[in-house]
């Protein structure tokens, strides 16, 4: 069993350039010569598993997910755009505590430095 620690979570460093978790997982599976693998994930882990299946099918034998969708969702309503902007701000500032909670929540806004 392999339990990756994705960028910006747990003990992993924050991102310094744009990236995709599915590409990171694919690179790890290739590095470990561990594919095709059975991927299991809940929530964000399920999104990563699903995206890896779609983008790197040669590395995936099966996927088991819970509470997940694909990662290629494009929200158009103002509330979701606000949440995405706050998440991007927090990630860019290295505010991992904020990105781990619901981005755009009152907790994140209180933790943000004044503009």
């Amino acid at each position: 069993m392999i339990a990756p620690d994705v960028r910006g979570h747990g003990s992993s460093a924050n991102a310094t350039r744009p990236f995709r978790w599915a590409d990171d997982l694919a690179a790890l599976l290739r590095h470990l010569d561990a594919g095709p693998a059975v991927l299991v994930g809940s929530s964000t882990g399920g999104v990563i598993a699903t995206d890896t299946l779609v983008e790197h099918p040669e590395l995936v034998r099966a996927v088991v997910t819970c509470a997940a969708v694909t990662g290629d969702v494009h929200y158009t309503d103002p509330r979701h755009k606000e949440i995405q902007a706050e998440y991007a701000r927090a990630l860019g500032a290295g505010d991992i505590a904020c990105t781990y909670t619901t981005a755009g929540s009152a907790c994140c806004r209180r933790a943000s430095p004044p503009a």
Side-chain angles (χ1 to χ4, degrees):
M1 177 179 9
I2 303 165
D5 192 16
V6 298
R7 294 189 208 201
H9 291 273
S11 297
S12 292
N14 197 1
T16 57
R17 60 182 169 75
F19 71 96
R20 300 219 356 111
W21 282 323
D23 294 336
D24 286 352
L25 180 56
L28 177 64
L29 291 172
R30 286 186 184 106
H31 175 76
L32 297 174
D33 195 25
V38 175
L39 306 180
V40 179
S42 176
S43 191
T44 300
V47 171
I48 296 167
T50 303
D51 286 352
T52 303
L53 169 66
V54 170
E55 298 171 24
H56 306 278
E58 73 284 1
L59 296 173
V60 181
R61 186 175 69 165
V63 173
V64 179
T65 66
C66 176
V69 297
T70 62
D72 193 25
V73 177
H74 299 282
Y75 295 105
T76 58
D77 64 283
R79 177 67 183 130
H80 277 99
K81 286 187 169 213
E82 178 185 336
I83 290 170
Q84 288 174 326
E86 178 63 16
Y87 185 86
R89 184 220 52 85
L91 185 62
D95 187 356
I96 301 305
C98 182
T99 61
Y100 190 69
T101 63
T102 303
S105 69
C107 171
C108 287
R109 288 202 178 101
R110 280 195 304 272
S112 299

